[in-house]
Amino acid sequence: MVIDLSDALGVPVRERNVIMLAAGYAPRHLEEEPGHVSFEIDRALQRMLRQHEPFPAIVMGRYWNFLASNDAAPKFFGRFVNLASWPSPRNLLHLALDPDGLRLFL
């Protein structure tokens, strides 16, 4: 019944665990750490990055942080900026809009 009500009300998946715990049930959805992806998703992303070669490809998180890239991406961006001088995790918005970043080239 709790699950059916959550579905009917359109409760986001992240909130459903709270509702399940409040109703006295075990959480239904696994909570994972931010930035963590399952093995299958990671494998699919790595394959897509490899298949995109020789063109640059990147995987970004919800806050525009670089999570992964193929071999061509650092070579491409390295032609415009010194990537070693940028703190990790690199943020695409900061990299593109910063006066010392790619802003001059856009």
Side-chain angles (χ1 to χ4, degrees):
M1 181 57 91
V2 175
I3 295 168
D4 291 338
L5 284 172
S6 296
D7 288 339
L9 294 172
V11 176
V13 174
R14 291 182 181 176
E15 304 293 326
R16 293 184 187 202
N17 281 345
V18 176
I19 294 172
M20 293 294 286
L21 286 171
Y25 296 105
R28 184 174 174 108
H29 303 283
L30 294 176
E31 293 281 337
E32 295 180 348
E33 297 177 16
H36 174 77
V37 294
S38 69
F39 175 74
E40 293 85 11
I41 294 173
D42 184 52
R43 208 169 82 188
L45 288 173
Q46 292 302 322
R47 181 165 188 229
M48 287 189 329
L49 290 171
R50 277 193 318 271
Q51 294 297 324
H52 203 67
E53 292 282 352
F55 304 106
I58 58 174
V59 177
M60 293 180 295
R62 74 167 71 167
Y63 299 112
W64 295 76
N65 291 329
F66 284 96
L67 299 178
S69 68
N70 62 4
D71 292 336
K75 293 175 187 175
F76 174 76
F77 288 111
R79 294 191 178 269
F80 303 104
V81 295
N82 180 10
L83 292 176
S85 66
W86 288 84
S88 207
R90 292 184 184 100
N91 186 284
L92 182 63
L93 290 178
H94 293 156
L95 186 63
L97 301 176
D98 192 284
D100 296 329
L102 297 171
R103 184 175 176 177
L104 297 172
F105 304 101
L106 294 177

